Amino acid sequence: MEFSRKSLVIKMLISAIFLLGLSSSSVAEFRVARHATTSTTIEYPALNCRKHSAVLTEFGGVGDGKTSNTEAFKAAIANLSQLAADGGGAQLVVPPGKWLTGSFNLTSHFTLFIHKDAVILGTQDESEWPHLPVLPSYGRGRDAPNGRFSSLIFGTNLTDVVITGNNGTIDGQGAYWWKKFKEEKLNVTRPYLIEIMYSSQVQISNLTLVNSPSWNVHPIYSSDIIIQHLTILAPVDSPNTDGIDPDSCTNTKIEDSFVVSGDDCIAVKSGWNQYGIKFNMPTKNLVIRRFTCISPDSATIALRSEMSGGIEDVRAKDITAINTQSGVRIKTAVGRGAYVKDIYVRRITLNTMKYVFWMTGSYGSHPDPGFDPKALPVIKGINYRDVVADNVTYSARLYGIENDPFTDICISNVNIKLTSKPKELQWNCTNIQGVTNQVTPEPCNLLPEKEIDCPFPEDRLPIDNVKLKTCSISGNF
Ligand SMILES: *[C@@H]1O[C@H](CO)[C@@H](O)[C@H](O)[C@H]1NC(C)=O
Ligand SMILES: *[C@@H]1O[C@H](CO)[C@@H](O)[C@H](O)[C@H]1NC(C)=O
Ligand SMILES: *[C@@H]1O[C@H](CO)[C@@H](O)[C@H](O)[C@H]1NC(C)=O
Ligand SMILES: *[C@@H]1O[C@H](CO)[C@@H](O)[C@H](O)[C@H]1NC(C)=O
Ligand SMILES: *[C@@H]1O[C@H](CO)[C@@H](O)[C@H](O)[C@H]1NC(C)=O
Ligand SMILES: *[C@@H]1O[C@H](CO)[C@@H](O)[C@H](O)[C@H]1NC(C)=O
Ligand SMILES: *[C@@H]1O[C@H](CO)[C@@H](O)[C@H](O)[C@H]1NC(C)=O
Ligand SMILES: *[C@@H]1O[C@H](CO)[C@@H](O)[C@H](O)[C@H]1NC(C)=O
């Protein structure tokens, strides 16, 4: 049941009168009054509201930061999954407290709501993280060939799943995993914080994610995804703590989010070499807007390097990066196959950056030696417009592949200010073709001047037509 604010006020009045009218209130009556006076309602936007609602503590959850809640999460979601099946859906509220847990799985027509004073803590007990088979489009685990740990919050083959809150926290307690990874003591790929696989209608919003063991948010083989109002924080020297990695996904929107991390703030992917080519599932129709990144050794947005299912129609605008290695970067290699095409970037503001424009056609990193040397990636139609950058070391390093040039590159209205000690060669270009307009400092001669504003599509993608409903949770918090 959801309570409106009005009925809440009436209830409070009734209990106050009730209390005043009694000279000695029993314990039971006192509880009723206390319940009414401290119950609050929180509204939040979501793909769908839910008929059924429960709080983690109803299933034995203990929020002391020490007790494992893995079984409580499993029991709660199993129970709510049954209730949700009547068509009304269900939501699970994680109330204030510190909720230690291992990996657990979500269900369809389901909302996980994490209260602002709640922290979900990822356990460092490896036995609480089941192993999953490797992803078919990768052919092996990213860190290690022998499979992978399930993500802290995992979902597969779902429709209509929401992970949200009013800025609740998920803390992966990643230090344990970073250390083991650096010492090469893991033979299974590290877990991610959130992975949603083979699913549609996904929302991940209004959360703070900290210290992920590896990537933070990994939607894969999924569609119709809204990611908004996320704060993602990891030490800038933590290994592979990518922010958001849409991987073989269609119709995705990422907006109003902030990432500080040890790897790319956003990494757009679609599988690795022959495995990705065979699986053949691109990432396409991706919108990124109002996004801020800090990542001194990585990219703001990388179209990278696992792109063997193709990457197509990415629109990034109103992007800010501070103390970040590069802007919207392309990483690929011989053996990847597929394509990166129709990429549009507009209005980006960069401060303290090594490379404003960076494309790499020789980014090795192969899953195994069995790649096809004839599988050349097609990189085509890469558009950058309205870029302001300050304190820059290199304006551009644009390296295509020999006999496989990167084509139709367009760069317009760019003003780059250099560091006090800039490199002499500001633009270095090989095996590329394209045009520039109003770009300072002066571009390389493979990108001749042409009077053009580089295109940015004006039409809306279907994901922008999805309207969120106003939903609510109520309880004593
Ligand atoms: C779980 O679901 C059933 C209905 O299917 C319900 O009767 C029960 O109270 C629920 N809650 C718990 C804590 O088991
Ligand atoms: C989650 O689902 C996957 C795939 O169905 C399964 O292998 C895994 O064991 C489940 N995880 C948990 C914690 O139950
Ligand atoms: C999930 O969906 C994929 C792709 O449709 C399918 O191959 C797989 O068998 C499904 N898995 C489950 C557990 O239903
Ligand atoms: C989600 O975050 C946005 C931006 O900070 C904020 O305006 C909105 O109120 C938040 N929603 C909830 C339910 O806290
Ligand atoms: C959410 O919490 C994080 C961590 O405390 C904080 O940095 C961020 O500003 C908060 N966001 C909002 C919208 O309150
Ligand atoms: C992985 O490592 C564990 C302990 O470090 C070891 O027991 C196990 O045999 C290894 N598995 C494989 C497949 O190498
Ligand atoms: C400019 O960039 C350099 C690194 O190249 C950095 O050390 C310095 O702090 C930056 N200066 C400002 C004013 O941001
Ligand atoms: C420019 O790029 C070419 C080709 O990658 C490379 O061989 C050369 O060393 C680069 N020059 C500078 C000064 O970086």
Side-chain angles (χ1 to χ4, degrees), residues 355-378:
Y355 309 97
V356 175
F357 301 107
W358 198 12
M359 299 183 188
T360 312
S362 59
Y363 195 86
S365 179
H366 297 292
D368 54 47
F371 66 89
D372 177 1
K374 291 200 222 61
L376 299 176
V378 174

mmCIF file with all atom_site columns, all heavy atoms in Angstrom, residues 355-378:
data_model
loop_
_atom_site.group_PDB
_atom_site.id
_atom_site.type_symbol
_atom_site.label_atom_id
_atom_site.label_alt_id
_atom_site.label_comp_id
_atom_site.label_asym_id
_atom_site.label_entity_id
_atom_site.label_seq_id
_atom_site.pdbx_PDB_ins_code
_atom_site.Cartn_x
_atom_site.Cartn_y
_atom_site.Cartn_z
_atom_site.occupancy
_atom_site.B_iso_or_equiv
_atom_site.pdbx_formal_charge
_atom_site.auth_seq_id
_atom_site.auth_comp_id
_atom_site.auth_asym_id
_atom_site.auth_atom_id
_atom_site.pdbx_PDB_model_num
ATOM 1   N N   . TYR A 1 355 ? 45.481 14.281  -24.322 1.00 0.00 ? 355 TYR A N   1
ATOM 2   C CA  . TYR A 1 355 ? 45.114 14.231  -25.741 1.00 0.00 ? 355 TYR A CA  1
ATOM 3   C C   . TYR A 1 355 ? 43.658 14.655  -25.910 1.00 0.00 ? 355 TYR A C   1
ATOM 4   O O   . TYR A 1 355 ? 42.771 13.981  -25.397 1.00 0.00 ? 355 TYR A O   1
ATOM 5   C CB  . TYR A 1 355 ? 45.204 12.810  -26.284 1.00 0.00 ? 355 TYR A CB  1
ATOM 6   C CG  . TYR A 1 355 ? 46.500 12.081  -26.025 1.00 0.00 ? 355 TYR A CG  1
ATOM 7   C CD1 . TYR A 1 355 ? 46.612 11.202  -24.949 1.00 0.00 ? 355 TYR A CD1 1
ATOM 8   C CD2 . TYR A 1 355 ? 47.586 12.235  -26.872 1.00 0.00 ? 355 TYR A CD2 1
ATOM 9   C CE1 . TYR A 1 355 ? 47.792 10.506  -24.720 1.00 0.00 ? 355 TYR A CE1 1
ATOM 10  C CE2 . TYR A 1 355 ? 48.769 11.539  -26.652 1.00 0.00 ? 355 TYR A CE2 1
ATOM 11  C CZ  . TYR A 1 355 ? 48.867 10.679  -25.567 1.00 0.00 ? 355 TYR A CZ  1
ATOM 12  O OH  . TYR A 1 355 ? 50.023 9.980   -25.344 1.00 0.00 ? 355 TYR A OH  1
ATOM 13  N N   . VAL A 1 356 ? 43.406 15.710  -26.669 1.00 0.00 ? 356 VAL A N   1
ATOM 14  C CA  . VAL A 1 356 ? 42.004 16.067  -26.929 1.00 0.00 ? 356 VAL A CA  1
ATOM 15  C C   . VAL A 1 356 ? 41.395 15.055  -27.903 1.00 0.00 ? 356 VAL A C   1
ATOM 16  O O   . VAL A 1 356 ? 40.315 14.516  -27.665 1.00 0.00 ? 356 VAL A O   1
ATOM 17  C CB  . VAL A 1 356 ? 41.894 17.499  -27.490 1.00 0.00 ? 356 VAL A CB  1
ATOM 18  C CG1 . VAL A 1 356 ? 40.447 17.812  -27.881 1.00 0.00 ? 356 VAL A CG1 1
ATOM 19  C CG2 . VAL A 1 356 ? 42.391 18.499  -26.458 1.00 0.00 ? 356 VAL A CG2 1
ATOM 20  N N   . PHE A 1 357 ? 42.108 14.794  -29.022 1.00 0.00 ? 357 PHE A N   1
ATOM 21  C CA  . PHE A 1 357 ? 41.611 13.813  -29.999 1.00 0.00 ? 357 PHE A CA  1
ATOM 22  C C   . PHE A 1 357 ? 42.606 12.661  -30.059 1.00 0.00 ? 357 PHE A C   1
ATOM 23  O O   . PHE A 1 357 ? 43.800 12.899  -30.274 1.00 0.00 ? 357 PHE A O   1
ATOM 24  C CB  . PHE A 1 357 ? 41.478 14.456  -31.385 1.00 0.00 ? 357 PHE A CB  1
ATOM 25  C CG  . PHE A 1 357 ? 40.541 15.631  -31.396 1.00 0.00 ? 357 PHE A CG  1
ATOM 26  C CD1 . PHE A 1 357 ? 41.017 16.928  -31.497 1.00 0.00 ? 357 PHE A CD1 1
ATOM 27  C CD2 . PHE A 1 357 ? 39.173 15.424  -31.282 1.00 0.00 ? 357 PHE A CD2 1
ATOM 28  C CE1 . PHE A 1 357 ? 40.158 18.011  -31.495 1.00 0.00 ? 357 PHE A CE1 1
ATOM 29  C CE2 . PHE A 1 357 ? 38.301 16.507  -31.272 1.00 0.00 ? 357 PHE A CE2 1
ATOM 30  C CZ  . PHE A 1 357 ? 38.792 17.804  -31.379 1.00 0.00 ? 357 PHE A CZ  1
ATOM 31  N N   . TRP A 1 358 ? 42.106 11.453  -29.870 1.00 0.00 ? 358 TRP A N   1
ATOM 32  C CA  . TRP A 1 358 ? 43.028 10.313  -29.852 1.00 0.00 ? 358 TRP A CA  1
ATOM 33  C C   . TRP A 1 358 ? 42.334 9.097   -30.463 1.00 0.00 ? 358 TRP A C   1
ATOM 34  O O   . TRP A 1 358 ? 41.277 8.676   -29.992 1.00 0.00 ? 358 TRP A O   1
ATOM 35  C CB  . TRP A 1 358 ? 43.446 10.007  -28.402 1.00 0.00 ? 358 TRP A CB  1
ATOM 36  C CG  . TRP A 1 358 ? 44.677 9.172   -28.270 1.00 0.00 ? 358 TRP A CG  1
ATOM 37  C CD1 . TRP A 1 358 ? 45.577 8.849   -29.238 1.00 0.00 ? 358 TRP A CD1 1
ATOM 38  C CD2 . TRP A 1 358 ? 45.152 8.539   -27.069 1.00 0.00 ? 358 TRP A CD2 1
ATOM 39  N NE1 . TRP A 1 358 ? 46.596 8.076   -28.727 1.00 0.00 ? 358 TRP A NE1 1
ATOM 40  C CE2 . TRP A 1 358 ? 46.351 7.870   -27.393 1.00 0.00 ? 358 TRP A CE2 1
ATOM 41  C CE3 . TRP A 1 358 ? 44.697 8.485   -25.759 1.00 0.00 ? 358 TRP A CE3 1
ATOM 42  C CZ2 . TRP A 1 358 ? 47.086 7.139   -26.449 1.00 0.00 ? 358 TRP A CZ2 1
ATOM 43  C CZ3 . TRP A 1 358 ? 45.418 7.775   -24.819 1.00 0.00 ? 358 TRP A CZ3 1
ATOM 44  C CH2 . TRP A 1 358 ? 46.612 7.103   -25.157 1.00 0.00 ? 358 TRP A CH2 1
ATOM 45  N N   . MET A 1 359 ? 42.927 8.587   -31.505 1.00 0.00 ? 359 MET A N   1
ATOM 46  C CA  . MET A 1 359 ? 42.423 7.351   -32.133 1.00 0.00 ? 359 MET A CA  1
ATOM 47  C C   . MET A 1 359 ? 43.613 6.424   -32.301 1.00 0.00 ? 359 MET A C   1
ATOM 48  O O   . MET A 1 359 ? 44.666 6.847   -32.774 1.00 0.00 ? 359 MET A O   1
ATOM 49  C CB  . MET A 1 359 ? 41.822 7.632   -33.510 1.00 0.00 ? 359 MET A CB  1
ATOM 50  C CG  . MET A 1 359 ? 40.642 8.575   -33.473 1.00 0.00 ? 359 MET A CG  1
ATOM 51  S SD  . MET A 1 359 ? 39.949 8.794   -35.126 1.00 0.00 ? 359 MET A SD  1
ATOM 52  C CE  . MET A 1 359 ? 38.786 10.122  -34.772 1.00 0.00 ? 359 MET A CE  1
ATOM 53  N N   . THR A 1 360 ? 43.415 5.175   -31.913 1.00 0.00 ? 360 THR A N   1
ATOM 54  C CA  . THR A 1 360 ? 44.514 4.218   -31.936 1.00 0.00 ? 360 THR A CA  1
ATOM 55  C C   . THR A 1 360 ? 44.083 2.984   -32.722 1.00 0.00 ? 360 THR A C   1
ATOM 56  O O   . THR A 1 360 ? 43.124 2.303   -32.329 1.00 0.00 ? 360 THR A O   1
ATOM 57  C CB  . THR A 1 360 ? 44.876 3.792   -30.494 1.00 0.00 ? 360 THR A CB  1
ATOM 58  O OG1 . THR A 1 360 ? 44.985 4.970   -29.698 1.00 0.00 ? 360 THR A OG1 1
ATOM 59  C CG2 . THR A 1 360 ? 46.176 3.031   -30.456 1.00 0.00 ? 360 THR A CG2 1
ATOM 60  N N   . GLY A 1 361 ? 44.770 2.686   -33.801 1.00 0.00 ? 361 GLY A N   1
ATOM 61  C CA  . GLY A 1 361 ? 44.435 1.515   -34.614 1.00 0.00 ? 361 GLY A CA  1
ATOM 62  C C   . GLY A 1 361 ? 45.291 0.304   -34.301 1.00 0.00 ? 361 GLY A C   1
ATOM 63  O O   . GLY A 1 361 ? 45.139 -0.754  -34.916 1.00 0.00 ? 361 GLY A O   1
ATOM 64  N N   . SER A 1 362 ? 46.191 0.458   -33.340 1.00 0.00 ? 362 SER A N   1
ATOM 65  C CA  . SER A 1 362 ? 47.104 -0.648  -33.023 1.00 0.00 ? 362 SER A CA  1
ATOM 66  C C   . SER A 1 362 ? 47.007 -1.009  -31.550 1.00 0.00 ? 362 SER A C   1
ATOM 67  O O   . SER A 1 362 ? 47.996 -1.289  -30.896 1.00 0.00 ? 362 SER A O   1
ATOM 68  C CB  . SER A 1 362 ? 48.533 -0.223  -33.341 1.00 0.00 ? 362 SER A CB  1
ATOM 69  O OG  . SER A 1 362 ? 48.856 0.929   -32.573 1.00 0.00 ? 362 SER A OG  1
ATOM 70  N N   . TYR A 1 363 ? 45.779 -0.968  -31.022 1.00 0.00 ? 363 TYR A N   1
ATOM 71  C CA  . TYR A 1 363 ? 45.590 -1.280  -29.616 1.00 0.00 ? 363 TYR A CA  1
ATOM 72  C C   . TYR A 1 363 ? 45.517 -2.799  -29.468 1.00 0.00 ? 363 TYR A C   1
ATOM 73  O O   . TYR A 1 363 ? 44.467 -3.399  -29.601 1.00 0.00 ? 363 TYR A O   1
ATOM 74  C CB  . TYR A 1 363 ? 44.295 -0.633  -29.092 1.00 0.00 ? 363 TYR A CB  1
ATOM 75  C CG  . TYR A 1 363 ? 44.218 -0.619  -27.599 1.00 0.00 ? 363 TYR A CG  1
ATOM 76  C CD1 . TYR A 1 363 ? 44.795 0.414   -26.872 1.00 0.00 ? 363 TYR A CD1 1
ATOM 77  C CD2 . TYR A 1 363 ? 43.611 -1.658  -26.899 1.00 0.00 ? 363 TYR A CD2 1
ATOM 78  C CE1 . TYR A 1 363 ? 44.757 0.417   -25.491 1.00 0.00 ? 363 TYR A CE1 1
ATOM 79  C CE2 . TYR A 1 363 ? 43.570 -1.665  -25.519 1.00 0.00 ? 363 TYR A CE2 1
ATOM 80  C CZ  . TYR A 1 363 ? 44.141 -0.618  -24.828 1.00 0.00 ? 363 TYR A CZ  1
ATOM 81  O OH  . TYR A 1 363 ? 44.106 -0.619  -23.456 1.00 0.00 ? 363 TYR A OH  1
ATOM 82  N N   . GLY A 1 364 ? 46.661 -3.433  -29.220 1.00 0.00 ? 364 GLY A N   1
ATOM 83  C CA  . GLY A 1 364 ? 46.773 -4.903  -29.201 1.00 0.00 ? 364 GLY A CA  1
ATOM 84  C C   . GLY A 1 364 ? 45.686 -5.576  -28.401 1.00 0.00 ? 364 GLY A C   1
ATOM 85  O O   . GLY A 1 364 ? 44.536 -5.594  -28.810 1.00 0.00 ? 364 GLY A O   1
ATOM 86  N N   . SER A 1 365 ? 46.034 -6.117  -27.238 1.00 0.00 ? 365 SER A N   1
ATOM 87  C CA  . SER A 1 365 ? 45.071 -6.710  -26.312 1.00 0.00 ? 365 SER A CA  1
ATOM 88  C C   . SER A 1 365 ? 44.127 -7.694  -26.991 1.00 0.00 ? 365 SER A C   1
ATOM 89  O O   . SER A 1 365 ? 42.957 -7.399  -27.224 1.00 0.00 ? 365 SER A O   1
ATOM 90  C CB  . SER A 1 365 ? 44.287 -5.582  -25.628 1.00 0.00 ? 365 SER A CB  1
ATOM 91  O OG  . SER A 1 365 ? 43.330 -6.083  -24.756 1.00 0.00 ? 365 SER A OG  1
ATOM 92  N N   . HIS A 1 366 ? 44.650 -8.875  -27.303 1.00 0.00 ? 366 HIS A N   1
ATOM 93  C CA  . HIS A 1 366 ? 43.837 -9.913  -27.927 1.00 0.00 ? 366 HIS A CA  1
ATOM 94  C C   . HIS A 1 366 ? 43.485 -11.004 -26.921 1.00 0.00 ? 366 HIS A C   1
ATOM 95  O O   . HIS A 1 366 ? 44.306 -11.353 -26.073 1.00 0.00 ? 366 HIS A O   1
ATOM 96  C CB  . HIS A 1 366 ? 44.594 -10.526 -29.107 1.00 0.00 ? 366 HIS A CB  1
ATOM 97  C CG  . HIS A 1 366 ? 44.878 -9.529  -30.205 1.00 0.00 ? 366 HIS A CG  1
ATOM 98  N ND1 . HIS A 1 366 ? 43.875 -8.985  -30.978 1.00 0.00 ? 366 HIS A ND1 1
ATOM 99  C CD2 . HIS A 1 366 ? 46.034 -8.958  -30.642 1.00 0.00 ? 366 HIS A CD2 1
ATOM 100 C CE1 . HIS A 1 366 ? 44.413 -8.134  -31.853 1.00 0.00 ? 366 HIS A CE1 1
ATOM 101 N NE2 . HIS A 1 366 ? 45.723 -8.090  -31.667 1.00 0.00 ? 366 HIS A NE2 1
ATOM 102 N N   . PRO A 1 367 ? 42.266 -11.572 -27.009 1.00 0.00 ? 367 PRO A N   1
ATOM 103 C CA  . PRO A 1 367 ? 41.871 -12.620 -26.062 1.00 0.00 ? 367 PRO A CA  1
ATOM 104 C C   . PRO A 1 367 ? 42.739 -13.874 -26.199 1.00 0.00 ? 367 PRO A C   1
ATOM 105 O O   . PRO A 1 367 ? 42.971 -14.570 -25.226 1.00 0.00 ? 367 PRO A O   1
ATOM 106 C CB  . PRO A 1 367 ? 40.420 -12.925 -26.432 1.00 0.00 ? 367 PRO A CB  1
ATOM 107 C CG  . PRO A 1 367 ? 40.219 -12.382 -27.802 1.00 0.00 ? 367 PRO A CG  1
ATOM 108 C CD  . PRO A 1 367 ? 41.173 -11.247 -27.939 1.00 0.00 ? 367 PRO A CD  1
ATOM 109 N N   . ASP A 1 368 ? 43.196 -14.162 -27.400 1.00 0.00 ? 368 ASP A N   1
ATOM 110 C CA  . ASP A 1 368 ? 44.053 -15.323 -27.637 1.00 0.00 ? 368 ASP A CA  1
ATOM 111 C C   . ASP A 1 368 ? 44.706 -15.117 -29.005 1.00 0.00 ? 368 ASP A C   1
ATOM 112 O O   . ASP A 1 368 ? 44.338 -14.206 -29.744 1.00 0.00 ? 368 ASP A O   1
ATOM 113 C CB  . ASP A 1 368 ? 43.249 -16.630 -27.554 1.00 0.00 ? 368 ASP A CB  1
ATOM 114 C CG  . ASP A 1 368 ? 42.038 -16.624 -28.474 1.00 0.00 ? 368 ASP A CG  1
ATOM 115 O OD1 . ASP A 1 368 ? 42.174 -16.245 -29.659 1.00 0.00 ? 368 ASP A OD1 1
ATOM 116 O OD2 . ASP A 1 368 ? 40.940 -16.979 -28.003 1.00 0.00 ? 368 ASP A OD2 1
ATOM 117 N N   . PRO A 1 369 ? 45.651 -15.972 -29.376 1.00 0.00 ? 369 PRO A N   1
ATOM 118 C CA  . PRO A 1 369 ? 46.346 -15.727 -30.645 1.00 0.00 ? 369 PRO A CA  1
ATOM 119 C C   . PRO A 1 369 ? 45.487 -16.052 -31.871 1.00 0.00 ? 369 PRO A C   1
ATOM 120 O O   . PRO A 1 369 ? 45.906 -15.776 -32.993 1.00 0.00 ? 369 PRO A O   1
ATOM 121 C CB  . PRO A 1 369 ? 47.561 -16.677 -30.589 1.00 0.00 ? 369 PRO A CB  1
ATOM 122 C CG  . PRO A 1 369 ? 47.587 -17.227 -29.197 1.00 0.00 ? 369 PRO A CG  1
ATOM 123 C CD  . PRO A 1 369 ? 46.217 -17.115 -28.643 1.00 0.00 ? 369 PRO A CD  1
ATOM 124 N N   . GLY A 1 370 ? 44.269 -16.599 -31.658 1.00 0.00 ? 370 GLY A N   1
ATOM 125 C CA  . GLY A 1 370 ? 43.490 -17.088 -32.790 1.00 0.00 ? 370 GLY A CA  1
ATOM 126 C C   . GLY A 1 370 ? 42.731 -16.040 -33.579 1.00 0.00 ? 370 GLY A C   1
ATOM 127 O O   . GLY A 1 370 ? 41.703 -16.335 -34.148 1.00 0.00 ? 370 GLY A O   1
ATOM 128 N N   . PHE A 1 371 ? 43.215 -14.796 -33.613 1.00 0.00 ? 371 PHE A N   1
ATOM 129 C CA  . PHE A 1 371 ? 42.427 -13.778 -34.319 1.00 0.00 ? 371 PHE A CA  1
ATOM 130 C C   . PHE A 1 371 ? 42.734 -13.762 -35.815 1.00 0.00 ? 371 PHE A C   1
ATOM 131 O O   . PHE A 1 371 ? 43.773 -14.236 -36.261 1.00 0.00 ? 371 PHE A O   1
ATOM 132 C CB  . PHE A 1 371 ? 42.601 -12.409 -33.676 1.00 0.00 ? 371 PHE A CB  1
ATOM 133 C CG  . PHE A 1 371 ? 43.988 -11.820 -33.777 1.00 0.00 ? 371 PHE A CG  1
ATOM 134 C CD1 . PHE A 1 371 ? 44.342 -11.034 -34.875 1.00 0.00 ? 371 PHE A CD1 1
ATOM 135 C CD2 . PHE A 1 371 ? 44.927 -12.034 -32.781 1.00 0.00 ? 371 PHE A CD2 1
ATOM 136 C CE1 . PHE A 1 371 ? 45.603 -10.476 -34.965 1.00 0.00 ? 371 PHE A CE1 1
ATOM 137 C CE2 . PHE A 1 371 ? 46.188 -11.483 -32.870 1.00 0.00 ? 371 PHE A CE2 1
ATOM 138 C CZ  . PHE A 1 371 ? 46.536 -10.701 -33.966 1.00 0.00 ? 371 PHE A CZ  1
ATOM 139 N N   . ASP A 1 372 ? 41.815 -13.215 -36.567 1.00 0.00 ? 372 ASP A N   1
ATOM 140 C CA  . ASP A 1 372 ? 41.905 -13.196 -38.021 1.00 0.00 ? 372 ASP A CA  1
ATOM 141 C C   . ASP A 1 372 ? 42.604 -11.908 -38.464 1.00 0.00 ? 372 ASP A C   1
ATOM 142 O O   . ASP A 1 372 ? 42.045 -10.820 -38.327 1.00 0.00 ? 372 ASP A O   1
ATOM 143 C CB  . ASP A 1 372 ? 40.478 -13.267 -38.584 1.00 0.00 ? 372 ASP A CB  1
ATOM 144 C CG  . ASP A 1 372 ? 40.445 -13.187 -40.109 1.00 0.00 ? 372 ASP A CG  1
ATOM 145 O OD1 . ASP A 1 372 ? 41.535 -13.104 -40.731 1.00 0.00 ? 372 ASP A OD1 1
ATOM 146 O OD2 . ASP A 1 372 ? 39.329 -13.203 -40.656 1.00 0.00 ? 372 ASP A OD2 1
ATOM 147 N N   . PRO A 1 373 ? 43.805 -12.022 -39.021 1.00 0.00 ? 373 PRO A N   1
ATOM 148 C CA  . PRO A 1 373 ? 44.519 -10.803 -39.421 1.00 0.00 ? 373 PRO A CA  1
ATOM 149 C C   . PRO A 1 373 ? 43.820 -10.052 -40.557 1.00 0.00 ? 373 PRO A C   1
ATOM 150 O O   . PRO A 1 373 ? 44.136 -8.891  -40.822 1.00 0.00 ? 373 PRO A O   1
ATOM 151 C CB  . PRO A 1 373 ? 45.891 -11.326 -39.867 1.00 0.00 ? 373 PRO A CB  1
ATOM 152 C CG  . PRO A 1 373 ? 45.703 -12.771 -40.153 1.00 0.00 ? 373 PRO A CG  1
ATOM 153 C CD  . PRO A 1 373 ? 44.561 -13.249 -39.300 1.00 0.00 ? 373 PRO A CD  1
ATOM 154 N N   . LYS A 1 374 ? 42.862 -10.700 -41.199 1.00 0.00 ? 374 LYS A N   1
ATOM 155 C CA  . LYS A 1 374 ? 42.107 -9.997  -42.254 1.00 0.00 ? 374 LYS A CA  1
ATOM 156 C C   . LYS A 1 374 ? 40.876 -9.285  -41.694 1.00 0.00 ? 374 LYS A C   1
ATOM 157 O O   . LYS A 1 374 ? 40.158 -8.605  -42.426 1.00 0.00 ? 374 LYS A O   1
ATOM 158 C CB  . LYS A 1 374 ? 41.679 -10.999 -43.334 1.00 0.00 ? 374 LYS A CB  1
ATOM 159 C CG  . LYS A 1 374 ? 42.850 -11.551 -44.148 1.00 0.00 ? 374 LYS A CG  1
ATOM 160 C CD  . LYS A 1 374 ? 42.350 -12.125 -45.462 1.00 0.00 ? 374 LYS A CD  1
ATOM 161 C CE  . LYS A 1 374 ? 42.987 -13.435 -45.874 1.00 0.00 ? 374 LYS A CE  1
ATOM 162 N NZ  . LYS A 1 374 ? 42.815 -14.577 -44.986 1.00 0.00 ? 374 LYS A NZ  1
ATOM 163 N N   . ALA A 1 375 ? 40.579 -9.461  -40.420 1.00 0.00 ? 375 ALA A N   1
ATOM 164 C CA  . ALA A 1 375 ? 39.409 -8.813  -39.817 1.00 0.00 ? 375 ALA A CA  1
ATOM 165 C C   . ALA A 1 375 ? 39.760 -7.364  -39.468 1.00 0.00 ? 375 ALA A C   1
ATOM 166 O O   . ALA A 1 375 ? 40.158 -7.049  -38.348 1.00 0.00 ? 375 ALA A O   1
ATOM 167 C CB  . ALA A 1 375 ? 38.960 -9.587  -38.587 1.00 0.00 ? 375 ALA A CB  1
ATOM 168 N N   . LEU A 1 376 ? 39.639 -6.490  -40.476 1.00 0.00 ? 376 LEU A N   1
ATOM 169 C CA  . LEU A 1 376 ? 39.991 -5.080  -40.278 1.00 0.00 ? 376 LEU A CA  1
ATOM 170 C C   . LEU A 1 376 ? 38.757 -4.294  -39.845 1.00 0.00 ? 376 LEU A C   1
ATOM 171 O O   . LEU A 1 376 ? 37.701 -4.405  -40.470 1.00 0.00 ? 376 LEU A O   1
ATOM 172 C CB  . LEU A 1 376 ? 40.546 -4.500  -41.583 1.00 0.00 ? 376 LEU A CB  1
ATOM 173 C CG  . LEU A 1 376 ? 41.812 -5.159  -42.128 1.00 0.00 ? 376 LEU A CG  1
ATOM 174 C CD1 . LEU A 1 376 ? 42.200 -4.538  -43.479 1.00 0.00 ? 376 LEU A CD1 1
ATOM 175 C CD2 . LEU A 1 376 ? 42.961 -5.011  -41.141 1.00 0.00 ? 376 LEU A CD2 1
ATOM 176 N N   . PRO A 1 377 ? 38.852 -3.503  -38.785 1.00 0.00 ? 377 PRO A N   1
ATOM 177 C CA  . PRO A 1 377 ? 37.712 -2.683  -38.381 1.00 0.00 ? 377 PRO A CA  1
ATOM 178 C C   . PRO A 1 377 ? 37.510 -1.516  -39.360 1.00 0.00 ? 377 PRO A C   1
ATOM 179 O O   . PRO A 1 377 ? 38.474 -0.981  -39.896 1.00 0.00 ? 377 PRO A O   1
ATOM 180 C CB  . PRO A 1 377 ? 38.133 -2.154  -37.008 1.00 0.00 ? 377 PRO A CB  1
ATOM 181 C CG  . PRO A 1 377 ? 39.627 -2.162  -37.040 1.00 0.00 ? 377 PRO A CG  1
ATOM 182 C CD  . PRO A 1 377 ? 40.030 -3.306  -37.927 1.00 0.00 ? 377 PRO A CD  1
ATOM 183 N N   . VAL A 1 378 ? 36.252 -1.144  -39.576 1.00 0.00 ? 378 VAL A N   1
ATOM 184 C CA  . VAL A 1 378 ? 35.937 0.039   -40.389 1.00 0.00 ? 378 VAL A CA  1
ATOM 185 C C   . VAL A 1 378 ? 35.618 1.188   -39.431 1.00 0.00 ? 378 VAL A C   1
ATOM 186 O O   . VAL A 1 378 ? 34.671 1.090   -38.645 1.00 0.00 ? 378 VAL A O   1
ATOM 187 C CB  . VAL A 1 378 ? 34.725 -0.241  -41.304 1.00 0.00 ? 378 VAL A CB  1
ATOM 188 C CG1 . VAL A 1 378 ? 34.305 1.031   -42.034 1.00 0.00 ? 378 VAL A CG1 1
ATOM 189 C CG2 . VAL A 1 378 ? 35.050 -1.368  -42.280 1.00 0.00 ? 378 VAL A CG2 1
#
